[in-house]
Amino acid sequence: MTVKKADLKEYLRERINTRTRYEGLLSFPSYLEIETVNVCNARCPMCTIDDWERGGRPMTDELYAKIAREVIAHADQVERVSLYRDGEPLIDMKLANRVAMLKKGGIKNVCISTNVSLLNEARSRDLLTAGLDTIIMSIDSLDKKTFEGIRVRLVFEEVLANALRFIELRNQLRPETKIWMRMIRQESNKDEWPSYQAYWSKRLAPTDRIYYHNIFNWGGQLKGFKPVTTSYEPNLPCVALWSLMVIFCNGDVPLCNVDFNNKFPSGSVVKDTIVDLWRSKLMNESREMHLAGRKACISLCKNCNVWDEPPGGENISARYAAPAVIGGDAAADLKP
């Protein structure tokens, strides 16, 4: 089925930000992921860490300040800034200060995603005091054996205690901070969702979120990938190219959030501005390929399933292309 370009542009607007015109999506990224560290203390089967070819030091204060200044200058266009990408953000001991810098500059939603193992009371208090708006806690099971089989190197009891204590501190110190409790649903835990949801529903606020994200293939790069549901819609452009900019520790900007080794480089914020990179000829060529139904020409995009739509409510994709069998809640990571 052929879909008109105008309809695809409307699809992207509906998926990303209905408060702006399509042209507004091309002005500045609505979402940014700023990776301040690219190391992790866990080894999870749904992660590509064993294939990482990037290395180096944490992001320098100078580079972070440069990025922050430009993001703050466009605060009215930014939906969320996430201070993580391919590492565990709490390894960065300056994380709370980085959160505070963005909040003082008027960024309305500053977020981290963590495996919770390092989220002790002191770090929790620092982040809440700094003004953290959203924290995604990746806890994949409430069964010790299953959890530690997924979050290799982590200790279940420590992670659970950290999560429960953070909830208490959030309620006391900064109730407006939202907690997103996330399960990466895969073969070993795929039947646990009802009990998982019931457990956390009793402990979190109505404004929090409990969801699962089906294991995805990292653009065909995850070795041994075994899907738990059929959820790929191949005919539509990827929302990431119109919504999300990833910035690595050294300032490099990859094509998207699954390009963990920067195989498709888009430039560097060390040399250029975010605006220039976002509106670059290279990025627009990639977008045009997706709009023209030729995203399979980009090997990373050919079979990628990271941005499938969540279940429940209206399936926007179904109105613009042949409907897929949808499962999971992948888009919850993108939508505010």
Side-chain angles (χ1 to χ4, degrees):
M1 180 175 69
T2 302
V3 184
K4 294 179 180 179
K5 185 178 290 189
D7 290 336
L8 292 177
K9 290 180 178 180
E10 179 60 19
Y11 158 77
L12 290 163
R13 196 186 67 83
E14 285 194 54
R15 282 290 302 273
I16 299 166
N17 188 348
T18 56
R19 299 186 302 277
T20 187
R21 300 174 59 193
Y22 171 81
E23 291 73 18
L25 302 178
L26 302 176
S27 175
F28 197 82
S30 301
Y31 300 84
L32 294 102
E33 292 183 356
I34 305 171
E35 175 195 80
T36 66
V37 292
N38 70 324
V39 293
C40 189
N41 59 337
R43 293 296 182 273
C44 307
M46 64 282 192
C47 181
T48 57
I49 190 168
D50 290 335
D51 297 315
W52 291 359
E53 297 171 1
R54 297 187 298 114
R57 299 176 179 178
M59 182 174 284
T60 65
D61 294 343
E62 293 76 17
L63 178 56
Y64 185 81
K66 178 182 186 294
I67 295 167
R69 283 194 297 270
E70 186 174 3
V71 173
I72 288 168
H74 292 83
D76 60 329
Q77 296 173 271
V78 175
E79 296 292 327
R80 185 169 69 237
V81 178
S82 300
L83 296 181
Y84 66 90
R85 182 53 258 158
D86 289 332
E88 167 51 49
L90 288 171
I91 291 174
D92 181 1
M93 298 306 295
K94 298 179 179 180
L95 188 62
N97 290 337
R98 300 191 198 272
V99 171
M101 183 183 296
L102 292 174
K103 291 305 299 176
K104 289 176 182 176
I107 300 302
K108 56 180 171 282
N109 192 340
V110 181
C111 170
I112 66 166
S113 174
T114 175
N115 63 34
V116 194
S117 63
L118 303 177
L119 191 64
N120 58 34
E121 180 158 343
R123 301 300 299 280
S124 297
R125 288 181 179 275
D126 286 347
L127 288 167
L128 289 165
T129 302
L132 184 69
D133 297 290
T134 306
I135 182 168
I136 303 171
M137 297 188 183
S138 288
I139 302 176
D140 307 303
S141 176
L142 294 170
D143 175 78
K144 176 178 172 66
K145 182 178 179 181
T146 303
F147 173 88
E148 292 180 359
I150 296 173
R151 297 284 167 172
V152 178
R153 299 186 180 180
L154 305 188
V155 178
F156 172 70
E157 291 85 355
E158 293 177 359
V159 168
L160 185 62
N162 285 346
L164 294 174
R165 182 56 177 152
F166 184 91
I167 295 170
E168 293 176 352
L169 290 169
R170 185 278 305 266
N171 294 344
Q172 296 169 15
L173 301 177
R174 197 171 191 272
E176 61 268 36
T177 296
K178 292 180 172 59
I179 298 172
W180 293 8
M181 191 62 63
R182 178 176 66 186
M183 169 195 284
I184 304 299
R185 186 169 171 266
Q186 51 205 283
E187 193 63 33
S188 62
N189 67 357
K190 65 180 182 181
D191 297 323
E192 294 184 32
W193 173 246
S195 59
Y196 181 95
Q197 185 179 36
Y199 178 88
W200 290 114
S201 294
K202 297 175 183 177
R203 292 160 176 83
L204 293 172
T207 52
D208 293 328
R209 173 177 279 163
I210 308 164
Y211 71 105
Y212 69 83
H213 187 320
N214 284 324
I215 187 172
F216 56 88
N217 62 11
W218 288 90
Q221 299 178 98
L222 181 62
K223 295 175 181 176
F225 170 70
K226 294 181 180 180
V228 293
T229 186
T230 300
S231 57
Y232 178 53
E233 172 46 73
N235 300 316
L236 295 170
C238 177
V239 294
L241 293 178
W242 283 263
S243 61
L244 174 65
M245 176 176 281
V246 172
I247 303 174
F248 289 145
C249 291
N250 64 353
D252 286 346
V253 176
L255 177 66
C256 68
N257 57 317
V258 302
D259 190 9
F260 56 86
N261 278 331
N262 201 21
K263 293 181 178 178
F264 296 85
S266 298
S268 170
V269 293
V270 174
K271 301 176 182 178
D272 294 305
T273 66
I274 292 172
V275 167
D276 288 342
L277 295 172
W278 189 244
R279 303 176 186 178
S280 70
K281 178 181 178 182
L282 184 62
M283 280 297 295
N284 285 329
E285 286 175 348
S286 297
R287 294 178 181 123
E288 284 302 314
M289 291 179 75
H290 276 240
L291 288 173
R294 297 173 54 239
K295 70 179 183 181
C297 296
I298 305 172
S299 60
L300 194 67
C301 306
K302 184 176 181 181
N303 295 308
C304 186
N305 64 347
V306 67
W307 289 122
D308 292 330
E309 284 194 79
E314 182 186 12
N315 174 10
I316 298 172
S317 299
R319 290 193 278 109
Y320 292 92
V325 179
I326 302 294
D329 198 4
D333 284 333
L334 176 65
K335 299 293 279 186

